[in-house]
Amino acid sequence: MAAIKFVFHGTVQGIGFRAHIKKKALDLGVSGWVKNMPDGSVSAVFSGDREMISILEGYCRKIPSAEISSVESESIEDSDFNGFEIIRD
């Protein structure tokens, strides 16, 4: 099991990016969360099998209407996530 925090920069808000991520995460058995950030980026934590996390990250880069300019990632301590949540502030 692994947990990785991602920050996606570019055109990633207002296009259904978070909903696409949640659907694919659930399909792949990845847990965690995703949320819009005030600076226009989207932050997410993916937890689960490393291969499934890698597939999900690759999927994020191909979401229709998204134009990703850069992605930051860092391994974090694995937490016990229950499902996958879109966090709305």
Side-chain angles (χ1 to χ4, degrees):
M1 294 289 283
I4 301 175
K5 181 178 181 182
F6 292 92
V7 180
F8 299 93
H9 298 275
T11 304
V12 290
Q13 290 191 17
I15 58 166
F17 191 73
R18 294 175 300 159
H20 278 281
I21 291 173
K22 179 179 180 178
K23 181 180 183 321
K24 189 67 169 180
L26 293 173
D27 289 348
L28 293 171
V30 173
S31 59
W33 53 262
V34 62
K35 71 176 182 175
N36 286 340
M37 301 303 291
D39 67 356
S41 66
V42 169
S43 182
V45 170
F46 302 158
S47 178
D49 178 80
R50 285 189 186 278
E51 183 178 350
M52 295 301 110
I53 290 172
S54 179
I55 290 169
L56 182 56
E57 179 191 4
Y59 172 81
C60 291
R61 294 176 184 269
K62 299 175 185 171
I63 290 174
S65 301
E67 294 180 22
I68 296 176
S69 58
S70 66
V71 179
E72 299 170 43
S73 64
E74 67 176 304
S75 293
I76 61 171
E77 188 172 321
D78 193 18
S79 297
D80 189 21
F81 296 102
N82 187 14
F84 199 92
E85 180 182 2
I86 294 175
I87 299 174
R88 294 177 170 84
D89 292 327

